[in-house]
Amino acid sequence: MNCITSILRRTRLAALVLGAVASQAAVAADPVKLRYATVGLGSSWYVYGTGTSKFMLENLPAGSTVDVLPIAGGVGNMELIENGEADLAITFSHTAGEACLPDGGSTFDKQKKKVRALLGGLDTYYLAALVTAKSGITSWEEIASGKKPFRMTTTTVGGTGELGIRQVLNAYGASYESVRKTGGTVRALARTATSAAIADGSADFWGHTISPGHPVATELMTLAPMRILPIEGETRLKKLESLGWNRMVMPANTFA
């Protein structure tokens, strides 16, 4: 199999990738132990991992195991594959595409030569910024302006969602540092802690890549009145497209 190239950088769908050693292990007659990198508990990717691992076991030699790893994320999973710490991983196609570029693209320091494409098109994801109605924030412009302190939460570094939020801030001429300089906060929280932060009022914002029915996004929508901020401005949109993101509009009523 060939390394993923620019075609996948232009898609918006999740992809399953594997390390170069995984395909060799799968054909062995003896039991194999596969490490399958997804992302944290409470994520749709972890659900994908536990679900698809059952189908893998049906086609692997008797006694084989698939260990679903609830760590890293779209960016970090490419590192796990390259370092031999995982044999299979879920990622986003543009992230995998960058990992396979000769220079590692804008996300990685160098090419990940062990990454191979296995299948794609698992789901459609949106880079979404969820803010509480109570915060009064209605646009990314207001966050970037720094006119009032704003309390942001993201997922931990290593996930494509966290990377995307940094890229959106940059497209608006802002950064984590500029948010903090105006008295705001930026916290990287585990998914299990995000709901508590929104519920107790210590956070105004959660940004991540979400799919329809995403567990954490669905929970946040039930905890407090929320809105999803649009990304606006042709120049900003083109900049994000150059980084592999596609323009899409989330259909109305995707979340209650």
Side-chain angles (χ1 to χ4, degrees), residues 1-223:
M1 300 180 187
N2 293 323
C3 211
I4 305 172
T5 56
S6 59
I7 293 175
L8 286 180
R9 291 188 68 213
R10 299 189 183 102
T11 66
R12 61 182 182 277
L13 303 173
L16 182 64
V17 300
L18 71 162
V21 297
S23 59
Q24 300 170 2
V27 298
D30 296 329
V32 296
K33 295 182 179 180
L34 296 180
R35 296 156 300 174
Y36 187 178
T38 59
V39 73
L41 298 174
S43 69
S44 52
W45 282 12
Y46 185 75
V47 175
Y48 291 161
T50 56
T52 55
S53 64
K54 297 175 183 177
F55 295 103
M56 295 179 193
L57 289 171
E58 292 175 1
N59 294 279
L60 290 171
S64 297
T65 59
V66 179
D67 186 13
V68 181
L69 308 175
I71 55 176
V75 176
N77 285 350
M78 299 299 89
E79 302 287 356
L80 294 178
I81 289 287
E82 185 69 12
N83 297 335
E85 298 175 66
D87 306 299
L88 296 152
I90 299 178
T91 188
F92 285 105
S93 45
H94 72 280
T95 308
E98 285 203 293
C100 291
L101 292 174
D103 62 354
S106 62
T107 303
F108 302 97
D109 58 353
K110 60 182 179 180
Q111 184 181 36
K112 308 304 176 187
K113 296 183 178 180
K114 294 183 180 179
V115 174
R116 300 290 184 271
L118 183 61
L119 59 91
L122 299 179
D123 206 343
T124 300
Y125 277 76
Y126 303 87
L127 179 60
L130 281 67
V131 298
T132 62
K134 184 179 179 180
S135 71
I137 295 293
T138 60
S139 70
W140 273 102
E141 286 276 11
E142 293 173 85
I143 297 174
S145 70
K147 291 182 179 179
K148 66 177 183 178
F150 188 70
R151 299 167 300 176
M152 300 181 68
T153 62
T154 68
T155 56
T156 54
V157 175
T160 309
E162 187 278 330
L163 171 69
I165 294 303
R166 277 188 282 128
Q167 291 173 334
V168 173
L169 280 171
N170 180 261
Y172 275 81
S175 64
Y176 289 165
E177 289 71 26
S178 68
V179 171
R180 293 185 177 111
K181 283 181 180 179
T182 57
T185 59
V186 181
R187 292 185 290 164
L189 298 179
R191 286 160 181 77
T192 51
T194 300
S195 298
I198 293 294
D200 66 20
S202 63
D204 306 307
F205 169 108
W206 182 66
H208 193 41
T209 43
I210 63 174
S211 58
H214 189 280
V216 177
T218 300
E219 184 177 8
L220 294 184
M221 295 290 186
T222 65
L223 290 173

Side-chain angles (χ1 to χ4, degrees), residues 211-240:
S211 58
H214 189 280
V216 177
T218 300
E219 184 177 8
L220 294 184
M221 295 290 186
T222 65
L223 290 173
M226 308 284 289
R227 61 169 56 97
I228 299 178
L229 302 181
I231 299 170
E232 301 171 305
E234 188 64 22
T235 301
R236 298 178 188 116
L237 289 166
K238 285 184 176 180
K239 183 170 185 177
L240 292 167

